[in-house]
Amino acid sequence: MENHKHTHQHSQKHIKAISNRLSRTIGHLEAVKNMVKRDEDCSKILIQLAAVKAAINNTAKAILKEHLAHCIHHIDTKENKQSIEELNKAIDMFVK
């Protein structure tokens, strides 16, 4: 069976939006790292880490929604079961 993981393409708009979200999150996490280095208040650091965590979760949701909306319907019928199983595994790993 042909590997179907790369048989679909995402729009450049989607890729740019996800990339921008990740860049903002990385910047935010770097700022939190600097807060730690400056020995700032733990409560403030935890609040910022919660914001980073929410940003990561929101990025994952955006990826999942796009996948469900635009990718699943392109899957060949005989590959459908395997693709859904792989998606379920990825979701399970993410929400641990």
Side-chain angles (χ1 to χ4, degrees):
M1 181 187 300
E2 182 181 322
N3 185 342
H4 65 276
K5 289 183 181 180
H6 298 289
T7 59
H8 63 270
Q9 300 235 333
H10 298 282
S11 72
Q12 286 302 309
K13 182 179 177 182
H14 172 74
I15 292 169
K16 179 80 171 154
I18 295 299
S19 180
N20 286 344
R21 280 176 176 257
L22 291 171
S23 292
R24 284 191 302 273
T25 303
I26 290 166
H28 196 165
L29 190 55
E30 284 290 335
V32 175
K33 180 179 166 183
N34 289 330
M35 290 174 72
V36 171
K37 285 182 177 179
R38 292 188 304 265
D39 197 23
E40 291 191 24
D41 181 68
C42 291
S43 296
K44 290 179 182 177
I45 292 169
L46 289 171
I47 289 168
Q48 293 307 310
L49 282 173
V52 169
K53 185 177 173 182
I56 291 168
N57 286 340
N58 287 334
T59 301
K61 272 197 291 191
I63 290 169
L64 180 58
K65 284 180 180 181
E66 195 276 341
H67 184 70
L68 292 174
H70 300 288
C71 300
I72 291 291
H73 75 297
H74 291 295
I75 296 171
D76 185 283
T77 306
K78 63 185 175 182
E79 294 177 339
N80 195 33
K81 184 177 178 186
Q82 180 185 358
S83 296
I84 291 171
E85 287 173 5
E86 288 174 6
L87 178 59
N88 283 333
K89 286 179 189 175
I91 292 168
D92 287 344
M93 288 175 67
F94 184 77
V95 296
K96 276 186 178 179

